[in-house]
């Protein structure tokens, strides 16, 4: 086969990386109680690449961006390049794992190959190990990443999953001429399909507009305004403290009990994600207070999942919202309530139904425009439903699962991945924007303690790992 056409949302993650600050690399770390069986792990990752063909495909972009890039089977696919095994040296610990992950997050991919690298790190203190996964965001979003993980892990240490190897995808790369021709043909098919859908809808829409002209006009206006809220560049940063965005990174983790954070959110009439956001915005506010700088509001980029039960594995089924959230509301319960109302409003934005069309339009714009959309955002926050029970990776028990999402121009990304009763929170800080990342992490820890206190006086505090 000659490859498959990217979704416009996947292409968005690919094209915006012309600016390295907007790089969309996802790094995740599985903390393991012991070293997994290498042969079994190797076999399972090989099988994963056959079940999810995009893991054996590289990207081919048509000239002049005449259409989305295509996934083309890499005829030179080498599993040994993508799946690696390494030791960190005697006495290595969790800090060394985070340093490895930090370096991986800052390094670009070899774009002539499939866009992922997995590394098993062995020889850690106490017999522990770590499995570091690095994927380009055009391959998957957070929920899609959990779907991929579910194909590799087991629910018991002695499980015997299906180990059969499906056939590897077969195909070939296209010449520039062939890629151009296929892109133009795909554009025509897409245009024809859109035209047909419009034609089928026009009679009903016309009748509705004639009967209810005011309602029709309001709907068009509301949708247009909603799209504008998604894509309009930001002229000024809300924080006067955060600096210019660069490519340096600092990684840290926090562990928060799921039941405590959920109880805290319910005590304030919100959801777990609202309590998560309330702690993050307060943490940012505390950091500014330490620096002697006021901060009343925080602009937050928040992914909203559009994934349905019929969508295939992987890929991006999200759109990015930008919400101004309160940072200076002292009482955590009041802050949670306020944030809950804001998030609820955004989840009903008319533009959510036009994610692919918005991505298509953004893909045609200069990179400087995207910089204006994202580089003046203080915080990117993502809440990914994880695995509720303990799992094993090739015989090794997973004791933590941390995701470090890309900053995409924000000062900090905080990604919550729930696993076996714990919110494993990965924090990815832009060291150009934040002068003292360690102080920011301390402020986040204090903020989570404050939110958790809503659940009960004995609420467990988030702890560094």
């Amino acid at each position: 086969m000659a490859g498959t056409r990217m979704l416009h949302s996947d292409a968005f993650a690919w094209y915006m990386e012309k600016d390295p600050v907007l790089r969309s690399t996802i790094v995740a770390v599985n903390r393991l109680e012991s070293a997994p069986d290498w042969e079994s792990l190797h076999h399972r990752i090989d099988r994963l690449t056959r079940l999810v063909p995009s893991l054996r495909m590289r990207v081919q972009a048509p000239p002049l961006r005449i259409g989305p890039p295509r996934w083309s089977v890499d005829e030179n696919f080498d599993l040994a390049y993508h799946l690696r095994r390494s030791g960190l040296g005697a006495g290595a610990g969790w800090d060394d794992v985070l340093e490895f992950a930090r370096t991986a997050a800052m390094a670009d991919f070899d774009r002539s190959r499939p866009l992922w690298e997995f590394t098993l790190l062995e020889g850690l203190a106490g017999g522990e190990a770590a499995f570091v996964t690095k994927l380009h965001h055009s391959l998957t979003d957070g929920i899609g990443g959990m779907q991929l993980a579910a194909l590799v892990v087991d629910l018991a240490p002695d499980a015997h999953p299906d180990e059969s190897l499906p056939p590897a995808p077969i195909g070939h790369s296209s010449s520039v001429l062939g890629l151009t021709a296929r892109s133009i043909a795909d554009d025509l098919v897409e245009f024809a399909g859109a035209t047909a859908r419009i034609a089928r809808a026009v009679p009903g829409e016309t009748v509705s507009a004639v009967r209810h002209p005011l309602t029709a006009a309001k709907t068009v206006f509301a949708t247009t305004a909603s799209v504008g809220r998604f894509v309009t560049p930001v002229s000024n940063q809300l924080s006067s403290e955060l600096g210019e965005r660069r490519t340096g990174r600092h990684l840290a983790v926090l562990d928060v009990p799921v039941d405590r954070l959920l109880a805290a959110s319910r005590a304030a009439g919100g959801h777990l994600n609202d309590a998560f956001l309330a702690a993050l915005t307060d943490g940012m506010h505390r950091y500014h207070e330490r620096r002697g700088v006021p901060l009343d509001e925080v602009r937050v980029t928040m992914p909203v999942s559009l994934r349905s039960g019929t969508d295939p594995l992987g890929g991006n089924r999200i759109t990015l919202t930008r919400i101004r959230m309160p940072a200076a509301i002292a009482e955590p319960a009041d802050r949670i309530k306020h944030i809950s109302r804001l998030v609820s409003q955004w989840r009903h934005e008319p533009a959510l139904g036009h994610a692919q069309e918005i991505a298509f339009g953004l893909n045609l714009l200069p990179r400087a425009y995207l910089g204006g959309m994202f580089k003046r955002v203080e915080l990117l926050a993502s809440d990914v439903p994880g695995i509720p029970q303990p799992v094993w990776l090739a015989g090794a028990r997973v004791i933590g699962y941390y995701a470090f999402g890309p900053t995409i121009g924000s000062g900090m990304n905080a990604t919550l991945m729930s696993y076996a009763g714990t919110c494993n929170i990965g924090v990815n800080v832009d060291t150009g924007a934040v002068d003292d990342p360690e102080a920011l992490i301390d402020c986040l820890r204090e903020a989570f303690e404050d939110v958790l206190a809503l659940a009960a006086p004995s609420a467990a505090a988030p702890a560094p790992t």
Side-chain angles (χ1 to χ4, degrees):
M1 61 183 175
T4 57
R5 185 176 169 97
M6 272 189 181
L7 291 172
H8 292 299
S9 52
D10 296 345
F12 177 72
W14 170 263
Y15 279 133
M16 72 177 176
E17 289 197 348
K18 293 292 184 181
D19 183 343
V21 172
L22 302 181
R23 193 169 287 160
S24 57
T25 303
I26 303 171
V27 173
V29 179
N30 290 263
R31 187 170 186 175
L32 306 174
E33 193 172 54
S34 60
D37 180 78
W38 173 251
E39 293 303 322
S40 176
L41 179 62
H42 186 279
H43 186 86
R44 292 185 185 199
I45 301 303
D46 186 8
R47 185 171 183 271
L48 178 66
T49 66
R50 297 162 186 261
L51 293 171
V52 186
S54 59
L55 295 177
R56 284 180 175 251
M57 294 181 176
R58 66 186 187 92
V59 177
Q60 284 192 287
L64 303 177
R65 283 195 268 173
I66 60 175
R70 300 183 73 88
W71 295 111
S72 298
V73 172
D74 182 6
E75 296 172 287
N76 301 309
F77 178 76
D78 182 357
L79 182 59
Y81 173 85
H82 296 277
L83 178 60
R84 307 163 185 182
R85 185 182 192 184
S86 180
L88 291 178
W94 182 238
D95 288 343
D96 299 290
V97 173
L98 290 181
E99 176 60 22
F100 182 93
R102 184 185 78 89
T103 303
M106 293 190 296
D108 200 1
F109 290 93
D110 179 348
R111 293 173 179 251
S112 68
R113 301 176 184 270
L115 302 174
W116 62 276
E117 299 166 8
F118 295 172
T119 305
L120 174 64
L121 300 176
E122 298 176 288
L124 302 180
E128 289 189 8
F131 189 53
V132 181
T133 62
K134 173 181 174 180
L135 302 99
H136 194 278
H137 218 318
S138 61
L139 279 171
T140 188
D141 54 31
I143 294 177
M146 294 308 300
Q147 292 175 336
L148 301 185
L151 296 174
V152 179
V153 298
D154 302 316
L155 298 179
D158 55 353
H160 299 285
D162 180 7
E163 296 287 355
S164 60
L165 285 180
I170 300 174
H172 59 84
S173 299
S174 300
S175 64
V176 173
L177 182 61
L179 183 63
T180 302
R182 267 185 288 275
S183 294
I184 293 174
D186 285 343
D187 287 343
L188 292 174
V189 170
E190 185 173 10
F191 176 77
T195 302
R197 289 193 297 273
I198 292 171
R200 288 193 298 269
V202 162
E205 294 294 337
T206 302
V207 170
S208 177
V210 170
R211 291 178 176 174
H212 309 285
L214 185 58
T215 300
K218 287 182 177 179
T219 299
V220 171
F221 178 79
T223 300
T224 302
S226 179
V227 171
R229 287 191 286 274
F230 274 73
V231 303
T232 301
V234 177
S235 57
N236 294 300
Q237 185 173 254
L238 296 176
S239 165
S240 60
E241 168 63 23
L242 299 188
E244 183 180 354
R245 308 305 191 256
R246 300 187 184 277
T247 56
R249 298 292 179 263
H250 174 89
L251 303 188
V253 299
L254 296 170
D255 289 333
V256 176
V258 170
D259 58 348
R260 293 296 188 185
L261 191 60
L262 186 59
S265 66
R266 288 174 175 170
H271 299 88
L272 184 143
N273 187 59
D274 302 325
F276 173 55
L277 291 169
L280 295 180
T281 55
D282 183 40
M284 189 68 76
H285 179 257
R286 290 167 185 259
Y287 176 74
H288 280 70
E289 280 192 325
R290 285 196 186 187
R291 310 284 291 184
V293 177
L295 181 69
D296 294 329
E297 289 184 303
V298 174
R299 188 175 281 107
V300 181
T301 294
M302 190 176 74
V304 175
S305 178
L306 306 176
R307 189 175 294 273
S308 71
T310 59
D311 287 324
L313 295 174
N316 283 276
R317 302 300 192 277
I318 61 171
T319 191
L320 299 176
T321 64
R322 293 170 301 160
I323 312 175
R324 291 174 67 135
M325 295 188 179
I329 298 177
E331 291 297 324
D334 294 338
R335 197 164 57 253
I336 291 172
K337 290 176 183 177
H338 194 122
I339 288 173
S340 181
R341 287 194 296 269
L342 290 173
V343 172
S344 178
Q345 291 170 7
W346 272 89
R347 290 192 183 278
H348 293 91
E349 282 284 336
L352 288 176
H354 302 276
Q356 291 303 318
E357 292 86 349
I358 292 173
F360 170 74
L362 292 175
N363 287 337
L364 301 178
L365 296 176
R367 298 308 94 188
Y369 187 94
L370 296 184
M373 286 179 59
F374 296 117
K375 288 185 180 180
R376 298 181 184 94
V377 171
E378 284 80 18
L379 171 66
L380 193 158
S382 183
D383 173 9
V384 181
I387 304 172
Q389 71 271 36
V391 294
W392 283 257
L393 177 65
R397 184 173 182 267
V398 178
I399 55 178
Y401 192 179
Y402 303 89
F404 302 95
T407 60
I408 315 180
S410 63
M412 176 186 80
N413 177 309
T415 299
L416 185 157
M417 186 85 73
S418 56
Y419 171 67
T422 300
C423 296
N424 293 153
I425 301 171
V427 183
N428 184 0
V429 180
D430 183 327
T431 54
V434 179
D435 288 339
D436 192 346
E438 292 288 357
L440 176 57
I441 300 304
D442 287 342
C443 290
L444 289 173
R445 191 171 295 114
E446 293 172 1
F448 273 102
E449 290 175 357
D450 203 28
V451 168
L452 288 178
L454 292 173
S458 61
T465 307

